[in-house]
Amino acid sequence: MDIGLTRFMRDQVDHVSTGFHRYLYSRIDWGRHMLGIVGPRGVGKTTMFLQYIKEHEKEMKMLYVSADSIYFADHSLLNLADEFSREGGEYLFIDEIHKYQGWSSEIKQIYDGYQDLKVAYTGSSILDIVQGGADLSRRAPVYHLYGLSFREYLALFEHIQTDTYSLDDILQLKVTLPELRHPLPYFKEYLKRGYYPFGNDHEFSLLLSQIINTTLEVDIPQYANMSAATVKKMKRLMATIARSVPFKPVMDQLSGELGVSRNILPDYFLYMEKAGLISQVRDSTGGFRGLGKVEKVYLDNANMAYVLGRGDSNIGNIRETFFYSAMRVNEDVIVSRISDFQIEGKTFEVGGHKKGKRQIEEAKEGYVVKDDIEYGADNIIPLWHFGLNY
């Protein structure tokens, strides 16, 4: 095996910490013949691979590679899998696989041709991974990793441990945080810089801006063959979403403002959604998850809203952005006809501590989700509670 690859893996594994695991780590069936992990840039996919290797390398022979390694300038993935398998390799981890041209055809050949070799791969470009892995979807599951929950933020940055609470637990006011009497200052900090594992970096805003720019300028254009002019229009669109209350897309109006065809705008929104930049909240008309009419558009998470809004972000928008980004991980969240959101027939109105119950008066089962309160009562639930659901 190439000595450069083994040295690279050793260096990466030796420097990773195993003291904290993301919520998805225990949910993954690591023993499968093949699996994929996708998610936006910077949420911790690589770290999970390295942690698994560090904790299991005594049990099996493993190799970790990055698909943009110089090694692949004159070697193929198929060559690597063949050589590693012949040397007794048991588990091959391929990071950032979308950076390898033609990866999907070779990964299928590896799946079919090397039954004794387990393979796991990651991809930040969800567009490419979903399209390229379509033929493997029934045999090789693709897991989606989201950013840190408020619970994970407390554990990683503040060393405060708390249980995970289901939606029913939250609505029944079962949330307790004995190690933290006053959670609101921590929650406000989480909204600004706690969604990403690099949130404690003093250059956090710059790093997140670079992730957003790379996704807009590299990932999406490579997939959709876009021009630089189109990228600028998508940047303007994201800035508009960041400052909205929240953003409700009117395609005819947007078409005129951006100077693009009305018919192409839904594609722009879909590209940005799949790349982890925005979230589109739909109604229930589709009958299946994700197929309804788009009613609201948010940035993917509250951290993005603060960075892109540059002090001009609407706090109501930020609260709703957080609620949706937190609950989408485990629940099917749609737009409510009478209020903000609906989950399993339950209606949720999100607001500040003065928010009243008028919007949920018609709801069969309605809840007011309030920011800036520490404790709830009856059907009034603190907003921060929803950050403990994964």
Side-chain angles (χ1 to χ4, degrees):
M1 185 52 59
D2 183 88
I3 193 170
L5 292 180
T6 55
R7 283 177 176 172
F8 173 75
M9 182 187 80
R10 190 73 268 148
D11 181 67
Q12 297 297 306
V13 171
D14 287 347
H15 286 86
V16 74
S17 170
T18 58
F20 168 80
H21 290 94
R22 293 300 318 279
Y23 75 95
L24 190 63
Y25 189 88
S26 61
R27 299 184 185 183
I28 294 173
D29 183 1
W30 293 98
R32 295 191 69 97
H33 179 29
M34 184 173 288
L35 63 91
I37 302 174
V38 300
R41 292 175 176 269
V43 295
K45 301 181 297 297
T46 299
T47 299
M48 285 205 305
F49 270 11
L50 298 175
Q51 287 176 329
Y52 187 84
I53 294 171
K54 193 167 191 174
E55 295 173 343
H56 296 86
E57 60 183 343
K58 292 182 181 179
E59 304 165 16
M60 63 183 88
K61 186 174 181 180
M62 301 181 176
L63 178 64
Y64 165 83
V65 298
S66 179
D68 61 355
S69 169
I70 190 66
Y71 171 86
F72 292 111
D74 52 6
H75 296 81
S76 69
L77 278 175
L78 195 57
N79 293 150
L80 175 66
D82 181 68
E83 181 180 354
F84 184 52
S85 178
R86 284 189 285 106
E87 293 182 3
E90 298 172 88
Y91 213 139
L92 175 61
F93 294 84
I94 308 167
D95 205 9
E96 298 292 321
I97 199 170
H98 65 279
K99 294 181 179 179
Y100 181 94
Q101 189 172 7
W103 69 268
S104 60
S105 62
E106 290 193 35
I107 207 74
K108 291 166 191 169
Q109 293 181 63
I110 295 171
Y111 181 96
D112 293 330
Y114 299 88
Q115 296 300 315
D116 293 331
L117 181 65
K118 293 184 176 65
V119 180
Y121 60 86
T122 72
S124 295
S125 179
I126 302 173
L127 292 160
D128 282 339
I129 298 300
V130 170
Q131 183 185 58
D135 292 343
L136 286 170
S137 59
R138 282 184 248 176
R139 295 171 287 179
V142 176
Y143 299 89
H144 192 131
L145 180 65
Y146 293 94
L148 297 174
S149 66
F150 182 45
R151 181 194 68 82
E152 291 180 303
Y153 164 79
L154 290 174
L156 179 59
F157 295 122
E158 305 297 338
H159 307 291
I160 297 171
Q161 304 298 324
T162 181
D163 293 333
T164 301
Y165 293 92
S166 68
L167 177 59
D168 286 342
D169 290 337
I170 294 170
L171 299 183
Q172 294 172 31
L173 300 174
K174 292 183 178 180
V175 171
T176 59
L177 207 53
E179 292 187 49
L180 187 61
R181 292 184 60 190
H182 301 296
L184 293 182
Y186 295 90
F187 183 60
K188 291 182 184 299
E189 191 66 17
Y190 165 78
L191 292 178
K192 293 179 180 178
R193 56 193 299 123
Y195 190 76
Y196 294 89
F198 56 90
N200 60 350
D201 194 296
H202 70 283
E203 295 286 6
F204 171 76
S205 294
L206 175 61
L207 293 173
L208 181 52
S209 295
Q210 289 174 344
I211 284 176
I212 294 169
N213 285 332
T214 301
T215 305
L216 283 170
E217 296 171 0
V218 179
D219 293 344
I220 296 177
Q222 281 183 352
Y223 174 82
N225 193 27
M226 287 182 174
S227 66
T230 301
V231 171
K232 289 183 179 179
K233 292 172 183 177
M234 285 197 297
K235 287 185 176 181
R236 286 175 53 196
L237 191 54
M238 285 198 66
T240 299
I241 296 170
R243 299 183 176 95
S244 298
V245 206
F247 185 73
K248 298 183 178 181
V250 180
M251 294 304 179
D252 289 335
Q253 180 180 338
L254 277 175
S255 174
E257 291 177 359
L258 298 176
V260 298
S261 167
R262 182 193 186 285
N263 295 331
I264 201 67
L265 276 173
D267 290 338
Y268 289 178
F269 280 103
L270 183 61
Y271 297 152
M272 290 190 290
E273 181 180 41
K274 294 297 185 183
L277 295 178
I278 66 171
S279 296
Q280 300 187 90
V281 190
R282 297 165 170 84
D283 62 19
S284 60
T285 58
F288 296 94
R289 182 172 182 165
L291 295 181
K293 177 186 175 185
V294 174
E295 293 288 348
K296 296 181 182 179
V297 180
Y298 300 96
L299 293 181
D300 182 74
N301 59 80
N303 291 184
M304 280 189 179
Y306 274 107
V307 168
L308 293 179
R310 298 178 181 177
D312 194 27
S313 297
N314 177 271
I315 186 61
N317 188 13
I318 287 173
R319 289 164 177 155
E320 291 184 32
T321 297
F322 161 75
F323 182 89
Y324 182 77
S325 69
M327 299 313 297
R328 67 183 172 182
V329 176
N330 295 323
E331 309 291 343
D332 188 4
V333 186
I334 60 174
V335 169
S336 168
R337 178 182 57 83
I338 59 175
S339 188
D340 290 326
F341 302 102
Q342 183 176 310
I343 303 174
E344 297 179 353
K346 302 174 180 68
T347 301
F348 297 88
E349 176 69 17
V350 180
H353 70 281
K354 295 182 179 180
K355 172 65 68 174
K357 297 184 177 182
R358 180 178 57 83
Q359 286 91 341
I360 63 169
E361 288 177 352
E362 299 179 29
K364 183 178 180 180
E365 184 178 352
Y367 297 89
V368 179
V369 181
K370 292 188 177 185
D371 194 9
D372 299 319
I373 64 171
E374 291 186 338
Y375 307 102
D378 297 325
N379 64 340
I380 298 175
I381 316 292
L383 180 62
W384 65 268
H385 281 195
F386 294 88
L388 307 180
N389 79 312
Y390 71 91

